[in-house]
Amino acid sequence: MHELSIVESLLSLALQNAEKAGARRIVSISLVVGDRTGVMEDAVNLYFGFLSKDTIAAGAKLHFRRIQ
């Protein structure tokens, strides 16, 4: 369930940075995730879809890269 708080922070940072850059849309976000974090990509995608609805990040693709 910690994925919810991760996605809340991720989306907040993405929206803040997009606003600073004058972006009108966020199309993708790249994430680097440690293997031992226990973060489940499916849960992150689910929460992101729900939380980003009605924002400029709606429909953005999340790209995950796992590291040790």
Side-chain angles (χ1 to χ4, degrees), residues 46-57:
L46 178 72
Y47 287 130
F48 186 81
F50 176 73
L51 294 175
S52 65
K53 186 179 177 182
D54 299 326
T55 73
I56 65 169

Side-chain angles (χ1 to χ4, degrees), residues 6 10-11 13-14 26-33 44-45 48 60-66:
I6 290 170
L10 166 69
L11 183 58
L13 287 170
I26 298 172
V27 296
S28 69
I29 299 173
S30 296
L31 306 165
V32 178
V33 181
V44 171
N45 279 312
F48 186 81
K61 176 80 173 156
L62 300 181
H63 301 278
F64 294 85
R65 186 179 77 163
R66 291 274 180 182

